[in-house]
Amino acid sequence: MTKLISMFRAFAREEDGIALSEYLVLLGLLVGGVIAAVLAVGVNLAGAWTSWGTWFSTSLSAPA
């Protein structure tokens, strides 16, 4: 148990450990924001893709 406590204290003293923790927090916030954005506009995004696909298939034709 004392070895675990000393490892934790050494991790907290090192600047690399603190920087890594900050980057992990930022990464978590970024991933959470992307997930929230996709969930918030997912239905509207699917409708937009469908209407664009319909427009492309009806309005444009392949060159002959």
Side-chain angles (χ1 to χ4, degrees), residues 26-53:
L26 287 174
L27 179 64
L29 289 172
L30 180 66
V31 168
V34 168
I35 290 172
V38 168
L39 289 176
V41 298
V43 175
N44 294 336
L45 189 61
W49 279 108
T50 302
S51 62
W52 272 100

PDB file of all heavy atoms in Angstrom, residues 26-53:
ATOM      1  N   LEU A  26      -9.182  17.511 -21.409  1.00  0.00           N
ATOM      2  CA  LEU A  26      -9.573  18.210 -22.632  1.00  0.00           C
ATOM      3  C   LEU A  26     -10.089  17.236 -23.689  1.00  0.00           C
ATOM      4  O   LEU A  26     -11.069  17.527 -24.385  1.00  0.00           O
ATOM      5  CB  LEU A  26      -8.396  19.008 -23.182  1.00  0.00           C
ATOM      6  CG  LEU A  26      -8.028  20.256 -22.401  1.00  0.00           C
ATOM      7  CD1 LEU A  26      -6.750  20.874 -22.957  1.00  0.00           C
ATOM      8  CD2 LEU A  26      -9.153  21.254 -22.427  1.00  0.00           C
ATOM      9  N   LEU A  27      -9.441  16.085 -23.814  1.00  0.00           N
ATOM     10  CA  LEU A  27      -9.895  15.080 -24.766  1.00  0.00           C
ATOM     11  C   LEU A  27     -11.281  14.579 -24.401  1.00  0.00           C
ATOM     12  O   LEU A  27     -12.150  14.411 -25.267  1.00  0.00           O
ATOM     13  CB  LEU A  27      -8.905  13.915 -24.826  1.00  0.00           C
ATOM     14  CG  LEU A  27      -9.263  12.777 -25.777  1.00  0.00           C
ATOM     15  CD1 LEU A  27      -9.276  13.282 -27.213  1.00  0.00           C
ATOM     16  CD2 LEU A  27      -8.285  11.640 -25.611  1.00  0.00           C
ATOM     17  N   GLY A  28     -11.524  14.353 -23.122  1.00  0.00           N
ATOM     18  CA  GLY A  28     -12.842  13.921 -22.671  1.00  0.00           C
ATOM     19  C   GLY A  28     -13.911  14.954 -22.959  1.00  0.00           C
ATOM     20  O   GLY A  28     -15.021  14.616 -23.398  1.00  0.00           O
ATOM     21  N   LEU A  29     -13.588  16.231 -22.742  1.00  0.00           N
ATOM     22  CA  LEU A  29     -14.550  17.289 -23.049  1.00  0.00           C
ATOM     23  C   LEU A  29     -14.824  17.375 -24.544  1.00  0.00           C
ATOM     24  O   LEU A  29     -15.974  17.564 -24.966  1.00  0.00           O
ATOM     25  CB  LEU A  29     -14.032  18.633 -22.539  1.00  0.00           C
ATOM     26  CG  LEU A  29     -14.020  18.808 -21.023  1.00  0.00           C
ATOM     27  CD1 LEU A  29     -13.305  20.096 -20.655  1.00  0.00           C
ATOM     28  CD2 LEU A  29     -15.427  18.799 -20.479  1.00  0.00           C
ATOM     29  N   LEU A  30     -13.801  17.218 -25.346  1.00  0.00           N
ATOM     30  CA  LEU A  30     -13.969  17.265 -26.795  1.00  0.00           C
ATOM     31  C   LEU A  30     -14.829  16.105 -27.289  1.00  0.00           C
ATOM     32  O   LEU A  30     -15.757  16.306 -28.076  1.00  0.00           O
ATOM     33  CB  LEU A  30     -12.601  17.237 -27.479  1.00  0.00           C
ATOM     34  CG  LEU A  30     -12.603  17.270 -28.998  1.00  0.00           C
ATOM     35  CD1 LEU A  30     -13.150  18.602 -29.486  1.00  0.00           C
ATOM     36  CD2 LEU A  30     -11.215  17.041 -29.537  1.00  0.00           C
ATOM     37  N   VAL A  31     -14.542  14.924 -26.825  1.00  0.00           N
ATOM     38  CA  VAL A  31     -15.331  13.759 -27.231  1.00  0.00           C
ATOM     39  C   VAL A  31     -16.771  13.906 -26.758  1.00  0.00           C
ATOM     40  O   VAL A  31     -17.711  13.624 -27.504  1.00  0.00           O
ATOM     41  CB  VAL A  31     -14.693  12.456 -26.687  1.00  0.00           C
ATOM     42  CG1 VAL A  31     -15.618  11.275 -26.842  1.00  0.00           C
ATOM     43  CG2 VAL A  31     -13.379  12.193 -27.391  1.00  0.00           C
ATOM     44  N   GLY A  32     -16.966  14.374 -25.542  1.00  0.00           N
ATOM     45  CA  GLY A  32     -18.326  14.596 -25.041  1.00  0.00           C
ATOM     46  C   GLY A  32     -19.076  15.636 -25.857  1.00  0.00           C
ATOM     47  O   GLY A  32     -20.267  15.481 -26.146  1.00  0.00           O
ATOM     48  N   GLY A  33     -18.387  16.695 -26.271  1.00  0.00           N
ATOM     49  CA  GLY A  33     -19.017  17.719 -27.101  1.00  0.00           C
ATOM     50  C   GLY A  33     -19.410  17.197 -28.467  1.00  0.00           C
ATOM     51  O   GLY A  33     -20.489  17.508 -28.983  1.00  0.00           O
ATOM     52  N   VAL A  34     -18.561  16.390 -29.065  1.00  0.00           N
ATOM     53  CA  VAL A  34     -18.884  15.807 -30.374  1.00  0.00           C
ATOM     54  C   VAL A  34     -20.075  14.866 -30.254  1.00  0.00           C
ATOM     55  O   VAL A  34     -20.992  14.900 -31.083  1.00  0.00           O
ATOM     56  CB  VAL A  34     -17.656  15.081 -30.963  1.00  0.00           C
ATOM     57  CG1 VAL A  34     -18.036  14.238 -32.164  1.00  0.00           C
ATOM     58  CG2 VAL A  34     -16.587  16.080 -31.341  1.00  0.00           C
ATOM     59  N   ILE A  35     -20.097  14.044 -29.226  1.00  0.00           N
ATOM     60  CA  ILE A  35     -21.218  13.124 -29.035  1.00  0.00           C
ATOM     61  C   ILE A  35     -22.510  13.897 -28.806  1.00  0.00           C
ATOM     62  O   ILE A  35     -23.554  13.569 -29.380  1.00  0.00           O
ATOM     63  CB  ILE A  35     -20.923  12.151 -27.873  1.00  0.00           C
ATOM     64  CG1 ILE A  35     -19.833  11.170 -28.282  1.00  0.00           C
ATOM     65  CG2 ILE A  35     -22.180  11.403 -27.444  1.00  0.00           C
ATOM     66  CD1 ILE A  35     -19.326  10.297 -27.164  1.00  0.00           C
ATOM     67  N   ALA A  36     -22.456  14.937 -27.986  1.00  0.00           N
ATOM     68  CA  ALA A  36     -23.650  15.745 -27.729  1.00  0.00           C
ATOM     69  C   ALA A  36     -24.139  16.434 -28.997  1.00  0.00           C
ATOM     70  O   ALA A  36     -25.348  16.487 -29.259  1.00  0.00           O
ATOM     71  CB  ALA A  36     -23.352  16.787 -26.645  1.00  0.00           C
ATOM     72  N   ALA A  37     -23.219  16.939 -29.820  1.00  0.00           N
ATOM     73  CA  ALA A  37     -23.616  17.606 -31.064  1.00  0.00           C
ATOM     74  C   ALA A  37     -24.262  16.634 -32.032  1.00  0.00           C
ATOM     75  O   ALA A  37     -25.271  16.947 -32.671  1.00  0.00           O
ATOM     76  CB  ALA A  37     -22.405  18.267 -31.708  1.00  0.00           C
ATOM     77  N   VAL A  38     -23.695  15.445 -32.147  1.00  0.00           N
ATOM     78  CA  VAL A  38     -24.269  14.446 -33.056  1.00  0.00           C
ATOM     79  C   VAL A  38     -25.641  14.007 -32.570  1.00  0.00           C
ATOM     80  O   VAL A  38     -26.574  13.855 -33.375  1.00  0.00           O
ATOM     81  CB  VAL A  38     -23.317  13.244 -33.213  1.00  0.00           C
ATOM     82  CG1 VAL A  38     -23.995  12.080 -33.905  1.00  0.00           C
ATOM     83  CG2 VAL A  38     -22.078  13.659 -33.985  1.00  0.00           C
ATOM     84  N   LEU A  39     -25.792  13.828 -31.273  1.00  0.00           N
ATOM     85  CA  LEU A  39     -27.103  13.438 -30.747  1.00  0.00           C
ATOM     86  C   LEU A  39     -28.131  14.554 -30.910  1.00  0.00           C
ATOM     87  O   LEU A  39     -29.307  14.293 -31.163  1.00  0.00           O
ATOM     88  CB  LEU A  39     -26.990  13.056 -29.273  1.00  0.00           C
ATOM     89  CG  LEU A  39     -26.275  11.746 -28.980  1.00  0.00           C
ATOM     90  CD1 LEU A  39     -26.140  11.540 -27.473  1.00  0.00           C
ATOM     91  CD2 LEU A  39     -27.001  10.572 -29.601  1.00  0.00           C
ATOM     92  N   ALA A  40     -27.694  15.812 -30.798  1.00  0.00           N
ATOM     93  CA  ALA A  40     -28.621  16.932 -30.887  1.00  0.00           C
ATOM     94  C   ALA A  40     -29.126  17.159 -32.307  1.00  0.00           C
ATOM     95  O   ALA A  40     -30.287  17.504 -32.509  1.00  0.00           O
ATOM     96  CB  ALA A  40     -27.951  18.207 -30.366  1.00  0.00           C
ATOM     97  N   VAL A  41     -28.274  16.971 -33.292  1.00  0.00           N
ATOM     98  CA  VAL A  41     -28.674  17.251 -34.674  1.00  0.00           C
ATOM     99  C   VAL A  41     -28.738  15.998 -35.542  1.00  0.00           C
ATOM    100  O   VAL A  41     -28.835  16.106 -36.757  1.00  0.00           O
ATOM    101  CB  VAL A  41     -27.729  18.287 -35.328  1.00  0.00           C
ATOM    102  CG1 VAL A  41     -27.777  19.605 -34.619  1.00  0.00           C
ATOM    103  CG2 VAL A  41     -26.325  17.759 -35.417  1.00  0.00           C
ATOM    104  N   GLY A  42     -28.719  14.846 -34.944  1.00  0.00           N
ATOM    105  CA  GLY A  42     -28.684  13.594 -35.701  1.00  0.00           C
ATOM    106  C   GLY A  42     -29.865  13.420 -36.629  1.00  0.00           C
ATOM    107  O   GLY A  42     -29.709  13.040 -37.793  1.00  0.00           O
ATOM    108  N   VAL A  43     -31.070  13.691 -36.151  1.00  0.00           N
ATOM    109  CA  VAL A  43     -32.261  13.514 -36.964  1.00  0.00           C
ATOM    110  C   VAL A  43     -32.273  14.512 -38.110  1.00  0.00           C
ATOM    111  O   VAL A  43     -32.542  14.168 -39.268  1.00  0.00           O
ATOM    112  CB  VAL A  43     -33.535  13.650 -36.099  1.00  0.00           C
ATOM    113  CG1 VAL A  43     -34.777  13.597 -36.946  1.00  0.00           C
ATOM    114  CG2 VAL A  43     -33.558  12.571 -35.036  1.00  0.00           C
ATOM    115  N   ASN A  44     -31.966  15.769 -37.830  1.00  0.00           N
ATOM    116  CA  ASN A  44     -31.929  16.791 -38.878  1.00  0.00           C
ATOM    117  C   ASN A  44     -30.821  16.516 -39.886  1.00  0.00           C
ATOM    118  O   ASN A  44     -30.984  16.771 -41.081  1.00  0.00           O
ATOM    119  CB  ASN A  44     -31.734  18.180 -38.273  1.00  0.00           C
ATOM    120  CG  ASN A  44     -32.923  18.597 -37.440  1.00  0.00           C
ATOM    121  OD1 ASN A  44     -34.033  18.122 -37.637  1.00  0.00           O
ATOM    122  ND2 ASN A  44     -32.675  19.474 -36.489  1.00  0.00           N
ATOM    123  N   LEU A  45     -29.703  15.998 -39.424  1.00  0.00           N
ATOM    124  CA  LEU A  45     -28.605  15.681 -40.317  1.00  0.00           C
ATOM    125  C   LEU A  45     -28.986  14.554 -41.270  1.00  0.00           C
ATOM    126  O   LEU A  45     -28.674  14.610 -42.462  1.00  0.00           O
ATOM    127  CB  LEU A  45     -27.371  15.298 -39.498  1.00  0.00           C
ATOM    128  CG  LEU A  45     -26.066  15.138 -40.244  1.00  0.00           C
ATOM    129  CD1 LEU A  45     -25.676  16.445 -40.913  1.00  0.00           C
ATOM    130  CD2 LEU A  45     -24.980  14.692 -39.288  1.00  0.00           C
ATOM    131  N   ALA A  46     -29.684  13.562 -40.769  1.00  0.00           N
ATOM    132  CA  ALA A  46     -30.128  12.465 -41.628  1.00  0.00           C
ATOM    133  C   ALA A  46     -31.090  12.975 -42.690  1.00  0.00           C
ATOM    134  O   ALA A  46     -31.019  12.575 -43.859  1.00  0.00           O
ATOM    135  CB  ALA A  46     -30.789  11.371 -40.789  1.00  0.00           C
ATOM    136  N   GLY A  47     -31.984  13.864 -42.326  1.00  0.00           N
ATOM    137  CA  GLY A  47     -32.909  14.449 -43.298  1.00  0.00           C
ATOM    138  C   GLY A  47     -32.192  15.267 -44.349  1.00  0.00           C
ATOM    139  O   GLY A  47     -32.544  15.231 -45.540  1.00  0.00           O
ATOM    140  N   ALA A  48     -31.177  16.015 -43.946  1.00  0.00           N
ATOM    141  CA  ALA A  48     -30.404  16.818 -44.895  1.00  0.00           C
ATOM    142  C   ALA A  48     -29.669  15.928 -45.889  1.00  0.00           C
ATOM    143  O   ALA A  48     -29.660  16.194 -47.089  1.00  0.00           O
ATOM    144  CB  ALA A  48     -29.423  17.709 -44.143  1.00  0.00           C
ATOM    145  N   TRP A  49     -29.052  14.850 -45.409  1.00  0.00           N
ATOM    146  CA  TRP A  49     -28.356  13.929 -46.314  1.00  0.00           C
ATOM    147  C   TRP A  49     -29.327  13.288 -47.293  1.00  0.00           C
ATOM    148  O   TRP A  49     -29.001  13.104 -48.474  1.00  0.00           O
ATOM    149  CB  TRP A  49     -27.628  12.845 -45.524  1.00  0.00           C
ATOM    150  CG  TRP A  49     -26.309  13.278 -44.983  1.00  0.00           C
ATOM    151  CD1 TRP A  49     -25.998  13.534 -43.689  1.00  0.00           C
ATOM    152  CD2 TRP A  49     -25.119  13.537 -45.726  1.00  0.00           C
ATOM    153  NE1 TRP A  49     -24.693  13.931 -43.593  1.00  0.00           N
ATOM    154  CE2 TRP A  49     -24.130  13.941 -44.817  1.00  0.00           C
ATOM    155  CE3 TRP A  49     -24.798  13.468 -47.088  1.00  0.00           C
ATOM    156  CZ2 TRP A  49     -22.842  14.269 -45.204  1.00  0.00           C
ATOM    157  CZ3 TRP A  49     -23.506  13.798 -47.476  1.00  0.00           C
ATOM    158  CH2 TRP A  49     -22.545  14.193 -46.547  1.00  0.00           C
ATOM    159  N   THR A  50     -30.512  12.948 -46.816  1.00  0.00           N
ATOM    160  CA  THR A  50     -31.508  12.333 -47.689  1.00  0.00           C
ATOM    161  C   THR A  50     -31.943  13.303 -48.777  1.00  0.00           C
ATOM    162  O   THR A  50     -32.028  12.939 -49.955  1.00  0.00           O
ATOM    163  CB  THR A  50     -32.723  11.871 -46.861  1.00  0.00           C
ATOM    164  OG1 THR A  50     -32.276  10.961 -45.865  1.00  0.00           O
ATOM    165  CG2 THR A  50     -33.759  11.202 -47.739  1.00  0.00           C
ATOM    166  N   SER A  51     -32.197  14.552 -48.413  1.00  0.00           N
ATOM    167  CA  SER A  51     -32.635  15.512 -49.424  1.00  0.00           C
ATOM    168  C   SER A  51     -31.515  15.837 -50.410  1.00  0.00           C
ATOM    169  O   SER A  51     -31.767  15.995 -51.600  1.00  0.00           O
ATOM    170  CB  SER A  51     -33.193  16.769 -48.775  1.00  0.00           C
ATOM    171  OG  SER A  51     -32.226  17.407 -48.015  1.00  0.00           O
ATOM    172  N   TRP A  52     -30.275  15.915 -49.953  1.00  0.00           N
ATOM    173  CA  TRP A  52     -29.160  16.132 -50.879  1.00  0.00           C
ATOM    174  C   TRP A  52     -29.005  14.945 -51.821  1.00  0.00           C
ATOM    175  O   TRP A  52     -28.763  15.126 -53.025  1.00  0.00           O
ATOM    176  CB  TRP A  52     -27.856  16.332 -50.111  1.00  0.00           C
ATOM    177  CG  TRP A  52     -27.605  17.748 -49.720  1.00  0.00           C
ATOM    178  CD1 TRP A  52     -27.833  18.299 -48.499  1.00  0.00           C
ATOM    179  CD2 TRP A  52     -27.113  18.799 -50.546  1.00  0.00           C
ATOM    180  NE1 TRP A  52     -27.509  19.631 -48.518  1.00  0.00           N
ATOM    181  CE2 TRP A  52     -27.058  19.968 -49.760  1.00  0.00           C
ATOM    182  CE3 TRP A  52     -26.718  18.870 -51.875  1.00  0.00           C
ATOM    183  CZ2 TRP A  52     -26.608  21.182 -50.258  1.00  0.00           C
ATOM    184  CZ3 TRP A  52     -26.277  20.086 -52.361  1.00  0.00           C
ATOM    185  CH2 TRP A  52     -26.232  21.224 -51.565  1.00  0.00           C
ATOM    186  N   GLY A  53     -29.133  13.751 -51.296  1.00  0.00           N
ATOM    187  CA  GLY A  53     -29.023  12.557 -52.143  1.00  0.00           C
ATOM    188  C   GLY A  53     -30.118  12.510 -53.189  1.00  0.00           C
ATOM    189  O   GLY A  53     -29.871  12.164 -54.351  1.00  0.00           O
TER     190      GLY A  53
END
